Amino acid sequence: MAKETNIRTLHDHLTGGENDNKQHVSFHPRHITLETFHSLLSHYPSTVERVHRGKLMLKLQSKAGKAPKRKAEAKVSAAPTTQAELDPSEEKHILEETDKFLQLDRWRYEVLPKIIAERANEGGQKGSVPEGGHLLKEELVDIMEWKTKHGVSRPMLMGMVKSNQDATITKSTSTAFSALPDADPVVAPSDAFPKASLDALTGPIRGVGPATASLILSIATVFGDAKKQVPFYSDDVYLWLCLMDFPEGQNMKEQKPSKHKKPNGDLIVKYNMNEYRELWNASQELRVRLNNGAGDAPVSFIDIERAAYVLRNISVSGYYASQEPEAGLNIVKELELENSQLPKEAKKDPGELGVRRSKRVKQEAI
């Protein structure tokens, strides 16, 4: 009977019991596990591709008059045009534009941070260009293009950024990168907050507010001292960590419209320094907690940013499709086999209970 009880207990733990299943994980910042976090993170590549493709499809729909022009953010994932409805030229256009954006996404996360780090390490070019790490105007324009395509489109900001002088951008970014504090954000959070660096960007550069300034600093601090890394004030991260707006409950795939968003997807926020400080503190807290068990693969702010993006677009991420309980059920079957010497009467009820729960979990995971 002891083994029998152990089987039932382990089965309930693995499958979630009578009223739960493996999908019912917690995405709450204070409770999310490292395993769940990494699962979200692993879905970023497919999510960003699907979301961008969906935006392109809706744009084609609007131009062709196939559907009324809709601004609601949820429509990107709710009812995209199917591939069968696209003619060859449209499909080619979408494939090309999606590929371009994925290259831009990789450039933002991998290529540009290395370029800035190399400039900082080599001391830069003497003369008209500031020494050390800095951005060129064309790089800032590309950053803004990524920001508006990755999130909600804001064409006015792009025009403002393009109106800046080259020298203003290189000098301001050089000053901002040099002003990054050395304080440990865990030991001295107030001293570690990059207020001077943010001011060096938001003051002189048109079109750059606290959110874009934090993006610039985030890119510039990917490499080097981890305590100097700066989180990006993305809508996704603020929605998750500060507004506590994330999927939850038994029907996580079908969430009600968020009270924190406008119909076009914009957050109802001010994008000011106080809000960014709130995001800064929340990001630091989550990273510290997750890294307590991260081992040799510490969680970065970029990881948090990407996981938040998947959460916000979870309906198209493929996350739920991957939450199959098969692995856990196999463990249960092995224990049941080990317990096969028990009298038939003693193991009948737990076995039947396990079968019923297994079927239900599989159905709910589809």
Side-chain angles (χ1 to χ4, degrees):
M1 291 297 292
K3 288 185 178 180
E4 182 180 323
T5 302
N6 288 339
I7 291 174
R8 182 163 59 243
T9 301
L10 180 57
H11 192 288
D12 289 349
H13 174 72
L14 291 170
T15 63
E18 186 71 27
N19 297 314
D20 204 358
N21 60 54
K22 196 175 179 181
Q23 290 183 4
H24 294 172
V25 296
S26 174
F27 295 134
H28 193 291
R30 294 182 181 176
H31 306 301
I32 187 171
T33 65
L34 187 61
E35 180 183 4
T36 299
F37 180 84
H38 280 308
S39 181
L40 287 172
L41 191 59
S42 69
H43 286 83
Y44 177 79
S46 60
T47 303
V48 72
E49 180 176 357
R50 290 169 182 170
V51 170
H52 191 68
R53 180 181 174 86
K55 289 179 179 180
L56 291 170
M57 285 179 168
L58 285 178
K59 192 173 181 180
L60 280 178
Q61 282 183 334
S62 179
K63 286 184 177 180
K66 294 179 181 178
K69 188 173 183 180
R70 296 173 294 183
K71 294 183 178 180
E73 172 203 34
K75 303 300 190 297
V76 172
S77 59
T81 306
T82 62
Q83 187 168 344
E85 295 173 332
L86 300 174
D87 62 39
S89 63
E90 290 175 330
E91 179 62 28
K92 180 181 178 182
H93 170 75
I94 286 180
L95 288 174
E96 290 176 347
E97 291 302 311
T98 300
D99 184 62
K100 286 180 182 178
F101 176 73
L102 294 178
Q103 290 182 38
L104 181 63
D105 194 61
R106 178 179 174 275
W107 175 83
R108 173 262 186 266
Y109 283 114
E110 301 175 22
V111 178
L112 184 57
K114 290 181 180 179
I115 292 174
I116 296 175
E118 288 172 358
R119 287 174 185 161
N121 293 333
E122 295 172 0
Q125 300 177 6
K126 295 183 178 181
S128 60
V129 179
E131 295 184 36
H134 61 273
L135 283 178
L136 303 178
K137 179 177 179 177
E138 55 265 33
E139 292 168 341
L140 181 56
V141 170
D142 287 341
I143 289 173
M144 184 59 72
E145 180 183 357
W146 174 87
K147 184 174 182 286
T148 57
K149 288 184 176 179
H150 192 265
V152 178
S153 178
R154 296 181 176 89
M156 185 179 297
L157 290 181
M158 178 62 83
M160 294 174 69
V161 166
K162 288 182 177 180
S163 70
N164 289 289
Q165 296 294 319
D166 294 36
T168 300
I169 293 174
T170 53
K171 182 178 180 180
S172 298
T173 54
S174 176
T175 300
F177 299 164
S178 299
L180 286 166
D182 292 320
D184 189 324
V186 177
V187 178
S190 296
D191 295 335
F193 186 74
K195 179 67 165 56
S197 296
L198 292 166
D199 289 342
L201 296 170
T202 58
I205 307 178
R206 296 188 71 240
V208 173
T212 303
S214 71
L215 172 58
I216 294 170
L217 296 179
S218 175
I219 295 172
T221 56
V222 169
F223 297 101
D225 194 344
K227 69 183 180 183
K228 278 192 170 186
Q229 289 181 357
V230 176
F232 165 38
Y233 182 173
S234 75
D235 288 359
D236 313 317
V237 176
Y238 195 81
L239 194 66
W240 180 27
L241 302 187
C242 301
L243 298 179
M244 295 294 171
D245 190 323
F246 49 84
E248 59 181 338
Q250 292 187 353
N251 298 312
M252 289 189 287
K253 294 172 72 174
E254 299 179 2
Q255 293 294 298
K256 296 179 180 179
S258 172
K259 64 181 180 180
H260 302 296
K261 296 183 226 175
K262 299 176 184 178
N264 70 342
D266 282 350
L267 294 194
I268 304 175
V269 292
K270 298 178 180 178
Y271 295 106
N272 57 27
M273 201 67 75
N274 288 335
E275 289 175 349
Y276 178 60
R277 190 181 289 271
E278 183 183 2
L279 181 143
W280 163 276
N281 291 332
S283 297
Q284 298 284 357
E285 180 181 345
L286 177 60
R287 185 173 71 159
V288 168
R289 187 177 72 78
L290 291 176
N291 280 338
N292 282 336
D296 296 330
V299 171
S300 69
F301 288 132
I302 284 181
D303 293 334
I304 293 175
E305 178 188 328
R306 285 171 159 172
Y309 183 86
V310 174
L311 266 182
R312 190 175 183 182
N313 298 284
I314 201 161
S315 62
V316 297
S317 67
Y319 175 84
Y320 294 104
S322 67
Q323 303 305 298
E324 297 292 342
E326 292 296 333
L329 294 177
N330 287 337
I331 297 175
V332 173
K333 290 177 181 178
E334 290 176 5
L335 281 178
E336 289 176 338
L337 180 62
E338 177 183 333
N339 199 31
S340 61
Q341 300 302 318
L342 288 174
K344 187 174 182 180
E345 293 75 16
K347 63 178 181 178
K348 181 177 180 181
D349 291 341
E352 291 178 349
L353 180 62
V355 171
R356 289 198 300 272
R357 285 177 177 167
S358 298
K359 289 182 178 179
R360 181 171 60 256
V361 170
K362 289 179 181 179
Q363 290 173 348
E364 292 175 349
I366 294 175

